[in-house]
Amino acid sequence: MAMNIDIPMRREGNKLVCSFPVSEEMLQDIPLNKELLVTVKVPRNTRQFKLAWVLADIVSKSCDWLTDRETAMDWLKIRARHVRMIHDPIRNTTAIVPKSISFASLGQAGFKRVFDRMINVVITEIIPGMDEKSLRAELESIV
């Protein structure tokens, strides 16, 4: 029987314990006395995720050619090289498609790398001359 369940837990000493009452309920679905293979994932920084969307909002308002924050986010992901290439051999064309930054598709380390690149794109291409610390402080003040 294949089973894949994500249960919020935290480490206490040398054991994992349920973080919330709902975690305890989810744990009941796992058979007793069975060998398990556990994969540990540290959840992403939700604050940094919010900062990225505030950044996209600022960029969309700074560029008249980016109509909204979703479009700005796609543009930022492309400029930050968080993309996949899709080649069409019939037309001999290649499309550049932004990858997802959802929590399920990108871990914290990868997201931090993409976010740092987005910041660099903004201070070099959108608001040249603005230093990184000032931009990050502005984002923090909004969030």
Side-chain angles (χ1 to χ4, degrees), residues 28-128:
Q28 299 305 312
D29 292 337
I30 298 174
L32 288 172
N33 301 318
K34 285 258 186 184
E35 287 285 326
L36 303 172
L37 177 61
V38 177
T39 303
V40 177
K41 296 180 195 173
V42 177
R44 279 239 312 264
N45 182 330
T46 56
R47 183 169 184 77
Q48 195 174 45
F49 189 72
K50 290 176 188 174
L51 292 172
W53 279 104
V54 169
L55 181 65
D57 194 47
I58 289 171
V59 168
S60 73
K61 291 174 182 168
S62 300
C63 301
D64 56 359
W65 43 273
L66 294 168
T67 56
D68 54 33
R69 69 187 208 140
E70 287 78 17
T71 306
M73 179 59 82
D74 283 345
W75 184 83
L76 283 167
K77 289 189 282 189
I78 290 168
R79 296 298 300 133
R81 300 182 314 275
H82 187 64
V83 297
R84 57 191 169 95
M85 311 294 262
I86 301 173
H87 184 71
D88 179 351
I90 296 170
R91 292 175 185 82
N92 197 28
T93 58
T94 302
I96 300 170
V97 180
K99 288 182 182 177
S100 174
I101 58 168
S102 73
F103 285 76
S105 66
L106 188 63
Q108 179 58 36
F111 184 76
K112 181 185 180 319
R113 224 174 5 262
V114 171
F115 183 64
D116 289 346
R117 287 181 187 160
M118 288 177 175
I119 293 282
N120 187 57
V121 166
V122 172
I123 63 175
T124 58
E125 298 180 28
I126 303 298
I127 314 170

